[in-house]
């Protein structure tokens, strides 16, 4: 492995070929934009049907933001070859370890993995590839995998990238420029974990709306859900505060208002979040789609366990998070169904 100084100067070639490892909602949307911008992109996905469709018919991006199709090179992990300088990892959080183990042989010695995922997965990746070969990223745009070869891009959202140690390097500046080919307002930050903690807090409302069988907009609006919504966010923010993190605002979400229990600030933030989600054609969270439509395991536990670990280290109680994880596992195994009855079990904890 190259040393840290050399490693972080790598990447001055802004036209580095890109591997998208995990070509669903996040990876497919970003990767298609890079292809359209003229970048060399290889899509990797575990779904043979999705890969075959991308090979034969390309990848279609549909939705109100833009609709287009692009020709794509695609392989399954077992077909992967070569050594690559830049891999954007975009798998679900609970697949991070296995996917990183799979990609490791194909990561160039001076290459980097960018965690374009939901959750704080950078530590898991670093344990496998080395901490100097990981770059953090935060994404909040709205997209869904519809069917093999098609991704629905429902709404723009924040995209942020940064070195995990807070430094500013040549390689992260180049990756920032790469991501701007997808999202022109992408942010380069010295505090990527601030954004990841912010998303962890905001993400609880996406997960709990799924348990309630509610749209994102209804969950933000209906007072039935309010005590749980606030309690979940505040548990995450309390853990972040104890850790010494400073969660960052994005797309209308203002962590400081929730942490301070500033009622006026919270109301203003919720209004902004409603406005942000109202213009999107992505009506329900990805967790809801996994539970209700795709009938598969979610990444709720993988996303929330790092929060619980930090909370326990600092003696911060997380009764709502604990209950949510239990309820999600019950739904995944068929012991419960999403809806008002299951959500009531959260409401009881919040009351």
């Amino acid at each position: 492995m190259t040393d840290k100084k050399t490693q972080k100067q790598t990447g001055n070639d802004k036209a580095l070929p890109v591997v998208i490892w995990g070509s669903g909602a996040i990876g497919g949307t970003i990767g298609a934009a890079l292809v359209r911008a003229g970048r060399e992109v290889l899509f990797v996905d575990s779904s043979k049907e999705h890969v075959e469709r991308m090979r034969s018919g390309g990848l279609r991006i549909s939705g109100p933001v833009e609709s287009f199709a692009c020709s794509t090179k695609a392989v399954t992990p077992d077909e992967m070859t070569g050594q690559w300088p830049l891999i954007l990892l975009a798998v679900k959080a609970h697949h991070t370890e296995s996917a990183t183990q799979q990609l490791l042989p194909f990561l160039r010695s001076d290459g980097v993995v960018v965690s374009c995922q939901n959750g704080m997965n950078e530590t898991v990746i670093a344990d496998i590839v080395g901490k100097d070969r990981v770059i953090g990223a935060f994404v909040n745009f709205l997209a869904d995998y519809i069917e093999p070869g098609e991704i629905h891009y429902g709404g723009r959202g924040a995209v942020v990238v940064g070195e995990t140690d807070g430094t500013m390097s040549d390689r992260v500046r180049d990756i920032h420029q790469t991501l701007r080919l997808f999202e022109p307002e992408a942010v380069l930050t010295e505090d990527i974990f601030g954004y990841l903690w912010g998303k962890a807090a905001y993400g609880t409302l996406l997960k709990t709306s799924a348990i309630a069988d509610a749209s994102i907009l209804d969950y933000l609006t209906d007072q039935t859900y309010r005590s749980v919504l606030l309690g979940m966010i505040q548990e995450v923010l309390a853990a972040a505060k104890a850790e010494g993190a400073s969660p960052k605002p994005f797309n209308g979400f203002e962590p400081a208002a929730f942490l301070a229990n500033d009622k006026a600030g919270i109301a203003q933030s919720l209004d902004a979040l409603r406005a942000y989600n109202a213009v999107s054609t992505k009506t329900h969270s990805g967790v809801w789609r996994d539970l209700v439509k795709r009938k598969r395991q979610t990444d709720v536990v993988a996303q929330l366990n790092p929060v619980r670990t930090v909370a326990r280290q600092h003696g911060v109680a997380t009764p709502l998070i604990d209950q949510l994880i239990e309820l999600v596992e019950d739904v995944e195994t068929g012991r419960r169904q999403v809806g008002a009855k299951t959500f009531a079990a959260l409401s009881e904890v919040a009351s």
Side-chain angles (χ1 to χ4, degrees):
M1 184 183 296
T2 44
D3 64 41
K4 186 171 183 178
K5 182 176 179 181
T6 303
Q7 185 79 21
K8 288 200 173 184
Q9 295 307 312
T10 304
N12 291 322
D13 179 359
K14 294 181 173 59
L16 288 174
V18 180
V19 170
I20 304 291
W21 200 288
S23 304
I26 294 174
T29 310
I30 294 174
L34 299 186
V35 170
R36 189 173 60 169
R39 293 294 292 268
E40 178 186 350
V41 178
L42 177 65
F43 293 85
V44 182
D45 201 85
S46 60
S47 168
K48 292 182 179 180
E49 189 176 5
H50 189 35
V51 167
E52 287 299 329
R53 190 68 60 86
M54 286 192 286
R55 283 173 175 167
S56 61
L59 181 60
R60 300 189 311 278
I61 304 297
S62 60
V65 179
E66 52 187 355
S67 294
F68 66 96
C70 60
S71 298
T72 49
K73 298 176 182 178
V75 297
T76 56
D78 61 310
E79 297 171 328
M80 187 65 174
T81 60
Q83 293 282 292
W84 298 81
L86 178 57
I87 299 179
L88 305 189
L89 182 60
V91 299
K92 294 279 190 178
H94 57 303
H95 295 146
T96 299
E97 183 175 358
S98 59
T100 306
Q101 293 283 6
Q102 286 180 317
L103 68 83
L104 179 60
F106 311 107
L107 181 64
R108 211 166 70 182
S109 62
D110 62 345
V112 294
V113 179
V114 183
S115 177
C116 295
Q117 304 170 266
N118 289 315
M120 292 182 279
N121 307 297
E122 285 74 8
T123 301
V124 175
I125 300 167
D127 285 344
I128 298 169
V129 306
K131 65 180 181 180
D132 296 330
R133 295 205 286 175
V134 182
I135 286 178
F138 159 82
V139 294
N140 194 54
F141 62 90
L142 304 167
D144 283 312
Y145 172 93
I146 300 301
E147 62 181 18
E150 182 174 357
I151 308 295
H152 180 81
Y153 184 15
R156 292 176 61 193
V159 175
V160 185
V161 64
E163 293 279 3
T164 57
D165 63 3
T167 59
M168 197 58 66
S169 63
D170 290 340
R171 67 181 188 179
V172 80
R173 290 188 181 95
D174 290 348
I175 292 167
H176 174 234
Q177 291 305 313
T178 294
L179 290 174
R180 288 187 67 204
L181 297 174
F182 164 64
E183 173 48 63
E185 296 181 14
V187 171
L188 178 59
T189 184
E190 295 178 342
D191 187 11
I192 190 61
F193 284 103
Y195 284 96
L196 294 175
W197 272 106
K199 181 62 180 287
Y202 170 74
T204 59
L205 70 87
L206 303 178
K207 298 169 178 62
T208 46
S209 68
I211 286 296
D213 198 20
S215 71
I216 298 170
L217 201 56
D218 285 346
Y219 189 79
L220 285 165
T221 303
D222 194 330
Q223 290 293 323
T224 303
Y225 310 120
R226 190 54 48 85
S227 62
V228 171
L229 183 156
L230 296 178
M232 292 286 296
I233 288 173
Q234 288 164 348
E235 283 187 4
V236 176
L237 294 178
K241 181 179 179 180
E243 183 72 353
S246 300
K248 302 298 184 187
F250 59 91
N251 297 138
F253 181 59
E254 294 288 344
F258 290 89
L259 186 58
N261 201 24
D262 172 6
K263 291 182 172 52
I266 290 171
Q268 186 175 5
S269 181
L270 291 175
D271 284 343
L273 289 172
R274 281 191 289 268
Y276 170 70
N277 283 280
V279 298
S280 170
T281 54
K282 178 183 171 74
T283 59
H284 291 69
S285 71
V287 174
W288 181 88
R289 287 186 64 83
D290 282 344
L291 291 175
V292 176
K293 295 294 185 180
R294 304 186 75 178
K295 306 292 184 183
R296 67 178 188 177
Q297 184 184 11
T298 71
D299 59 356
V300 168
V301 177
Q303 285 194 42
L304 289 179
N305 266 342
V307 176
R308 287 207 298 183
T309 298
V310 169
R312 277 155 177 66
Q313 289 171 348
H314 296 288
V316 175
T318 58
L320 280 166
I321 291 175
D322 298 342
Q323 180 72 316
L324 174 62
I325 287 174
E326 182 178 322
L327 293 175
V328 168
E329 290 176 333
D330 281 351
V331 173
E332 289 172 345
T333 55
R335 294 191 294 269
R336 292 178 182 261
Q337 294 182 332
V338 299
K341 184 177 180 180
T342 298
F343 185 81
L346 275 173
S347 297
E348 290 172 4
V349 175
S351 59

